[in-house]
Amino acid sequence: GKDEDLFYDRVNIQDVRWSCDTIPDLQREYTVRIRYRHQGSPAVIKQIAADHYQLDFNEKQRAVTPGQFAVIYDAETIIGSGEIQ
């Protein structure tokens, strides 16, 4: 395939766990890391089912991999994570 086919600006995650057991404010942006060495990118979170969410990134992300975990940060604090679908 083409390199451009590896980029996504929308990612679905499942089995989401929030560190405070409450859903954060979904009206704002958070930083999301999609790999261990990923620097993190701003994204808005949208709930689509009980434990399924959609991450809408400001910029397309390369090599989003199902089975990996997306980790959601508020500044330097981890607030949640979920498995990439």
Side-chain angles (χ1 to χ4, degrees), residues 50-63:
D51 67 345
H52 287 70
Y53 292 80
Q54 177 178 295
L55 304 173
D56 291 317
F57 288 94
N58 292 346
E59 297 179 10
K60 290 187 174 189
Q61 303 299 304
R62 186 177 190 280

Side-chain angles (χ1 to χ4, degrees), residues 18 23-32 41-45 57 72-75 79:
W18 301 110
I23 298 171
D25 178 7
L26 300 182
Q27 301 299 314
R28 55 173 290 227
E29 285 185 342
Y30 295 94
T31 300
V32 179
S41 292
V44 175
I45 306 164
F57 288 94
I72 304 162
Y73 291 81
D74 184 3
I79 62 168

